Amino acid sequence: MAQVSLRRLVKEYEGGVQAVKGIDLEIADHEFVVLVGPSGCGKSTTLRMIAGLEDITGGEISIGGTVVNDIPPRDRDIAMVFQNYALYPHMTVFDNMAFGLVLRKFRKEEIQRRVMEAARILDITQLLDRKPRALSGGQRQRVAMGRAIVRDPKVFLFDEPLSNLDAKLRVQMRTEIKKVVQTVRTTTVYVTHDQVEAMTLADRVVVMNGGIIEQVGPPQELYHRPATRFVAGFIGSPAMNFIPARVEPASGALNLRLPGDILLPIPPERSDRYRSQGGREVLLGIRPEHLTETRQGRATYADLEVVPEVIEPMGMETLVHFHMEGTRDLCARLDPTIPAAPGQPLRLTADLANMHLVDPQSGKVL
Amino acid sequence: MASDATIARNAPTVAPRAAPPTTLQKMARRRSTVAFLLTLPLLGVIGGLVAWPAAYAIYLSTLNRRMTAFIGLENYAILLDNDTFRMVIWQSCFFAITAVILKALIGFWLAHMLHHIPTKGQRIWRGMLLVPWVIPPALSTLGWWWMFEPSYSSINWLLSVFSVPPVPWLGEKWWARISVIIVNVWYGAPFFMIMYLAALKSVPDQLYEAADIDGATGWQRLRYVTLPMMRNIISITVLFSLIVTFANYDIVRVLTNGGPRDLTHVFASYAFQVGVLSGNIPRGAAVSLFMFPLLAVIAYFVLRGINQRTKEIGA
Ligand SMILES: Nc1ncnc2c1ncn2[C@@H]1O[C@H](COP(=O)(O)OP(=O)(O)O)[C@@H](O)[C@H]1O
Ligand SMILES: [Mg+2]
């Protein structure tokens, strides 16, 4: 049993910086949870408090039902993988992996067995006699994971483990990590600033911002039902478009008035939800894939005409960048067969069944 | 420039197989001629200040007392036969080894303490602890002499406060040997401290965090992380200090002048005594040349160690 609970967890650094402002989080046994958020939002601080590397200012952390606030890292039965791997440079790969077991006075044969097993899982058996300096970044990463696996701890903690790898290797190691964690099924807390990493790895994603938790949920839920403007804009790439708009009642239906006097009808199935917002200024949030080329005969879709500024052909899709009055860069995702050129007006259709309306004051999704 | 580089690269294949070239020839060929010429001034300085005096000392040591006749290795034979000189060899080794070990231990301990003081307070402590190393040793040794000297000894006065009987610091052979070592350690420990402090700061914090999580206690972190990471700097400082301490002159000269009964002499002070004070310059030269093989062995280990470990850490 190794669930992890954070209760009203607070971290204040010397000088009064509140890095973590009272967060609550329950992580179930065997669950893979990813903390994601922009740089400086307190992810690492949270993870390091779970590890015991950072003192807790307020609140409580428990691992496997035991409050660990005052327990040193070595007695918490956790393993951690650092961004720069933190391998011991003077030890061989084997010794690096065995170190934790040696300190815990495991028998020689048992150490041998566990290290060989982990090396087999990670495919680093032929590297066991090398020193870390003779390894590539990806291999060091594997050794760092091996060091965690051999311990068979209650919880794995990862702090941006892929950030030092090049893009291609990062994607490969991401899959690798998922595979390994699925094999050993250890409760895992994983920190990253990369939302793609978060979405692909997590059972549940925790989106943090400015020391608080914005939203917790499975990847699909965060993507389709973001709770706040921050989550809506953070999850998904290219990011969601935000356009200032006003909800206008019109004879039983609702319309959205966009800058440039564009009037879009809100689909009937959404009308009830937004009825109370009649006459208010809101932000229309819509993902690039829901702004597509205009085709005939689609009822819930509304048209708008834009002038593309930059065209980015990606192969299986084409990204079109444009802007409207009072907005930043907006993006639409088109079928690559659609002819589009910078400066040539283009008709786009907004799939309003997949829109989000955001209260500009509170930042909450309505 | 380009042609120089080509020459340098081709050098090994060009080397004739039959007559092995002299070191100088090899050097001149391996590096570019320009670079060789540029090092000439330095070679001149080294030759004038090191090689020439050394050669001259070797020549001197083969002469008789009045420097009128060549007597071969007789000076060395006489010295080896002499009880006082054998004691000097023993005392030099005892002095150098004990002092260096103590300097390294105390330096390491001080460095560790400093390392754990918050950065703000660190500077002033670091500055204060470096003071012994900055004062010219002849002067500070004089200060110590005053503290040890029986009639005014402030140390003995302090001891008497705790009803400890006075200690004959410079008058009894073991106390005198200890005193010399104390002063040398006091003077030399700050150097170790500053080197080890720099080394401690260069150990990444994450290694300690990894060790914490791996289950290491404070001692185990020291044993398995700190010491291995500092192995290079420790061996270099120890060997280097061994050389300097071995050749130490001023502390013994000022503090005990070799006394009591020549029992605290080390090579350098004894060489001065024999060569200058007693006027037997060839024999004095022979005394100081005895240091050479010992120092050469140590220097060999220093250089080998640096080479090996640099490769290992891959810096
Ligand atoms: N040792 C520290 N002392 C003071 N402030 C810190 C310290 N470590 C982090 N912080 C601050 O706490 C905030 C959160 O940091 P961190 O948890 O490292 O962010 P993240 O990992 O999400 O990028 C940042 O504003 C950072 O400047
Ligand atoms: Mg971080």
Side-chain angles (χ1 to χ4, degrees):
Chain A
M1 289 299 280
Q3 66 285 66
V4 178
S5 319
L6 315 182
R7 288 181 212 102
R8 294 183 304 284
L9 190 63
V10 176
K11 174 68 193 187
E12 191 174 313
Y13 282 110
E14 275 166 55
V17 183
Q18 268 215 353
V20 176
K21 300 172 180 162
I23 60 174
D24 287 283
L25 183 63
E26 292 290 329
I27 299 166
D29 199 15
H30 302 314
E31 197 178 21
F32 195 132
V33 163
V34 176
L35 305 185
V36 68
S39 176
C41 71
K43 314 175 293 283
S44 295
T45 304
T46 307
L47 194 77
R48 291 167 56 80
M49 282 193 285
I50 299 175
L53 298 173
E54 216 62 78
D55 288 334
I56 297 169
T57 311
E60 203 175 83
I61 296 178
S62 66
I63 298 175
T66 317
V67 175
V68 295
N69 284 29
D70 298 320
I71 296 181
R74 64 168 179 275
D75 298 324
R76 291 192 184 191
D77 200 10
I78 42 134
M80 184 154 167
V81 176
F82 295 86
Q83 174 171 348
N84 55 9
Y85 323 126
L87 301 176
Y88 310 113
H90 51 281
M91 297 185 195
T92 62
V93 167
F94 183 96
D95 290 338
N96 261 286
M97 286 163 67
F99 188 54
L101 301 177
V102 172
L103 292 180
R104 286 181 168 77
K105 303 210 161 51
F106 277 66
R107 285 195 0 267
K108 255 215 167 69
E109 309 84 74
E110 176 67 7
I111 294 176
Q112 182 81 17
R113 192 187 65 71
R114 285 199 185 195
V115 173
M116 294 318 275
E117 170 70 7
R120 192 187 57 73
I121 294 177
L122 292 161
D123 196 22
I124 50 173
T125 311
Q126 72 288 1
L127 304 177
L128 286 175
D129 293 330
R130 297 222 198 140
K131 295 266 175 75
R133 95 197 124 83
L135 303 179
S136 69
Q139 290 169 332
R140 288 179 201 191
Q141 186 56 65
R142 281 165 208 263
V143 177
M145 276 173 65
R147 185 164 67 177
I149 293 174
V150 293
R151 293 254 320 278
D152 189 19
K154 283 191 188 137
V155 186
F156 283 154
L157 304 173
F158 291 83
D159 192 355
E160 311 241 6
L162 303 181
S163 299
N164 283 5
L165 301 178
D166 61 63
K168 202 167 167 188
L169 201 52
R170 199 178 310 158
V171 174
Q172 189 187 330
M173 282 305 295
R174 195 172 75 198
T175 322
E176 197 88 3
I177 289 180
K178 190 159 190 175
K179 207 156 49 180
V180 169
V181 173
Q182 276 168 1
T183 314
V184 297
R185 302 216 343 113
T186 306
T187 311
T188 301
V189 186
Y190 184 110
V191 161
T192 178
H193 64 270
D194 178 354
Q195 54 93 20
V196 179
E197 228 170 280
M199 299 287 281
T200 48
L201 285 171
D203 294 331
R204 270 197 311 156
V205 178
V206 178
V207 183
M208 291 185 68
N209 183 30
I212 58 153
I213 292 180
E214 292 266 342
Q215 190 176 359
V216 183
Q220 290 301 324
E221 185 182 312
L222 293 194
Y223 191 81
H224 294 294
R225 288 194 298 282
T228 64
R229 178 188 167 159
F230 177 81
V231 176
F234 190 77
I235 302 284
S237 172
M240 187 184 283
N241 300 305
F242 290 102
I243 308 167
R246 186 216 286 274
V247 183
E248 291 185 348
S251 60
L254 286 176
N255 284 333
L256 270 183
R257 182 175 293 280
L258 302 193
D261 257 353
I262 301 168
L263 209 60
L264 303 179
I266 294 180
E269 68 267 27
R270 289 275 188 128
S271 297
D272 285 344
R273 185 155 146 201
Y274 299 133
R275 182 101 38 215
S276 60
Q277 307 297 327
R280 285 190 54 188
E281 300 288 340
V282 295
L283 276 178
L284 163 66
I286 187 155
R287 294 196 184 278
E289 61 263 40
H290 300 132
L291 277 179
T292 52
E293 66 280 3
T294 301
R295 291 195 194 127
Q296 299 304 315
R298 289 192 289 192
T300 66
Y301 290 50
D303 284 2
L304 60 160
E305 189 164 278
V306 303
V307 181
E309 286 159 359
V310 176
I311 311 283
E312 293 178 329
M314 309 287 285
M316 63 173 292
E317 70 206 17
T318 297
L319 300 181
V320 174
H321 294 270
F322 58 96
H323 81 270
M324 295 168 75
E325 214 181 301
T327 69
R328 299 225 190 99
D329 178 52
L330 300 177
C331 180
R333 214 167 192 164
L334 304 192
D335 190 289
T337 58
I338 304 294
Q344 306 248 321
L346 184 70
R347 268 202 101 62
L348 293 181
T349 297
D351 175 5
L352 293 190
N354 284 303
M355 71 174 180
H356 305 277
L357 292 186
V358 180
D359 177 355
Q361 266 79 50
S362 69
K364 292 256 190 309
V365 172
L366 298 167
Chain B
M1 288 320 271
S3 64
D4 285 340
T6 327
I7 291 168
R9 213 178 320 119
N10 289 340
T13 48
V14 172
R17 202 166 287 167
T22 66
T23 323
L24 204 65
Q25 276 173 333
K26 254 195 243 163
M27 259 173 57
R29 204 171 299 157
R30 191 155 4 107
R31 300 160 208 281
S32 70
T33 321
V34 177
F36 179 73
L37 289 177
L38 285 175
T39 58
L40 267 183
L42 183 64
L43 290 178
V45 170
I46 293 178
L49 294 178
V50 180
W52 163 246
Y56 189 64
I58 293 174
Y59 163 71
L60 268 182
S61 72
T62 59
L63 300 180
N64 67 358
R65 179 172 188 143
R66 293 205 197 131
M67 296 192 265
T68 51
F70 177 79
I71 55 166
L73 296 179
E74 207 180 305
N75 276 322
Y76 296 93
I78 292 173
L79 279 174
L80 278 180
D81 226 27
N82 176 326
D83 281 342
T84 309
F85 183 69
R86 281 196 296 230
M87 197 287 307
V88 167
I89 297 181
W90 184 88
Q91 164 66 8
S92 294
C93 295
F94 173 75
F95 167 72
I97 293 171
T98 317
V100 168
I101 290 175
L102 286 176
K103 280 189 276 194
L105 287 177
I106 293 175
F108 187 81
W109 178 67
L110 288 175
H112 231 268
M113 299 239 297
L114 271 187
H115 189 52
H116 287 100
I117 298 177
T119 339
K120 257 185 282 166
Q122 221 178 72
R123 285 181 61 152
I124 183 160
W125 283 104
R126 202 170 51 201
M128 273 165 39
L129 286 167
L130 265 180
V131 165
W133 194 55
V134 186
I135 303 175
L139 267 181
S140 52
T141 310
L142 210 57
W144 277 97
W145 180 79
W146 271 77
M147 294 200 288
F148 285 139
E149 209 277 334
S151 354
Y152 315 103
S153 173
S154 54
I155 299 179
N156 278 351
W157 178 82
L158 259 183
L159 290 177
S160 74
V161 172
F162 301 100
S163 352
V164 179
V167 175
W169 289 108
L170 304 176
E172 196 272 333
K173 93 173 168 187
W174 277 107
W175 281 117
R177 285 171 175 169
I178 290 172
S179 302
V180 175
I181 289 172
I182 288 177
V183 177
N184 186 269
V185 169
W186 176 85
Y187 166 69
F191 167 73
F192 281 81
M193 177 195 79
I194 212 73
M195 297 298 280
Y196 292 166
L197 187 63
L200 280 175
K201 284 186 193 300
S202 73
V203 179
D205 279 343
Q206 297 223 310
L207 285 190
Y208 290 116
E209 295 181 346
D212 271 347
I213 287 173
D214 268 338
T217 60
W219 280 111
Q220 286 168 329
R221 293 192 335 180
L222 187 71
R223 162 89 178 68
Y224 294 109
V225 181
T226 314
L227 289 180
M229 293 296 287
M230 288 178 60
R231 218 174 50 172
N232 219 352
I233 193 82
I234 288 176
S235 62
I236 291 170
T237 47
V238 163
L239 290 169
F240 178 73
S241 169
L242 213 47
I243 291 177
V244 175
T245 312
F246 220 88
N248 183 283
Y249 166 75
D250 33 22
I251 292 177
V252 173
R253 176 86 181 95
V254 175
L255 197 65
T256 66
N257 201 6
R261 285 172 287 112
D262 289 345
L263 286 167
T264 58
H265 266 310
V266 291
F267 281 114
S269 64
Y270 190 62
F272 183 76
Q273 161 123 343
V274 171
V276 178
L277 298 182
S278 317
N280 192 343
I281 289 179
R283 190 158 311 153
V287 170
S288 55
L289 282 170
F290 258 102
M291 272 190 284
F292 184 71
L294 281 164
L295 296 185
V297 170
I298 303 174
Y300 168 76
F301 280 110
V302 174
L303 295 176
R304 202 189 62 160
I306 292 175
N307 260 335
Q308 252 176 15
R309 299 216 177 75
T310 318
K311 272 188 225 137
E312 194 172 292
I313 307 267

